[in-house]
Amino acid sequence: MTDHGRPRPAVLAEARWPPPGAPRGGLEQGRFLHSRFPPLVVAVAEACLRQRHREAPAPAAVGERTAVLLSSLRADEPTAAAVAEAVRQRAQVAKPLLFQSAPTAALGELAARWGLAGPMLSITPLGDRLREGLALAGRLLALEEADEVLLICADLATGPERTDTAHALLLGRPPISPNP
């Protein structure tokens, strides 16, 4: 059971960044500027989705009912800082930064690539990013807003010796147990 009295969603697939045993290293930056956050979100989410669907896109009937939920304590601070600095200097903000500054930018790219068309949400929890993400995912499933929820918990390292961390779970409705 979750904190809200609902059964815990079923875990259909799971991935973590960095992957166990992987050497420390950077992620492919792709089309994102200044920040490791969007590539981190995309990398862990795709690793999770590949476990379930092997390759993009997900089957259409599944993708159209899959929600994407980002839970992050700090989100994309480097992009926010780059936009704020440009505004402070009264400089033109690069158009890709304006797109990227929304917490859901990486989710949109991911959803387009994998054919995910369910609700897309981003939260900044006050407490534990996984626990609060699981609670919201459980509500989405219970209210039948989605059949599956891709929950991504991600944050960039804040110190020189720390590592960026991310955890993705593809969740479904809990199995129905027969009444005794």
Side-chain angles (χ1 to χ4, degrees):
M1 290 290 204
T2 66
D3 295 342
H4 303 284
R6 289 186 195 91
R8 222 176 257 295
V11 176
L12 307 174
E14 183 173 12
R16 294 181 184 273
W17 187 267
R24 286 180 108 166
L27 291 162
E28 175 67 32
Q29 202 60 27
R31 60 190 222 141
F32 295 103
L33 307 174
H34 297 288
S35 176
R36 302 179 319 274
F37 188 76
L40 174 67
V41 168
V42 170
V44 75
E46 287 198 322
C48 183
L49 288 167
R50 274 192 220 98
Q51 288 180 28
R52 179 85 166 162
H53 304 298
R54 298 272 184 239
E55 61 184 39
V62 174
E64 67 189 33
R65 297 277 306 150
T66 300
V68 184
L69 169 58
L70 173 64
S71 181
S72 179
L73 299 174
R74 294 178 299 281
D76 192 353
E77 290 177 328
T79 297
V83 170
E85 182 60 20
V87 169
R88 188 185 70 72
Q89 292 183 5
R90 297 179 188 264
Q92 184 173 352
V93 178
K95 288 180 184 176
L97 278 181
L98 293 176
F99 162 76
Q100 184 178 316
S101 65
T104 54
L107 304 185
E109 182 169 310
L110 184 71
R113 189 176 306 153
W114 284 86
L116 309 179
M120 184 181 301
L121 304 122
S122 177
I123 62 171
T124 303
L126 296 175
D128 181 87
R129 65 186 189 186
L130 179 59
R131 189 178 78 240
E132 293 193 30
L134 284 169
L136 181 52
R139 283 194 295 276
L140 289 168
L141 293 166
L143 294 171
E144 297 186 8
E145 295 292 328
D147 294 332
E148 294 183 358
V149 177
L150 176 61
L151 169 60
I152 306 151
C153 300
D155 280 295
L156 296 177
T158 56
E161 296 300 317
R162 302 207 44 206
T163 303
D164 299 339
T165 60
H167 184 189
L169 299 134
L170 186 59
L171 304 164
R173 287 192 185 87
I176 299 172
S177 57
N179 290 332

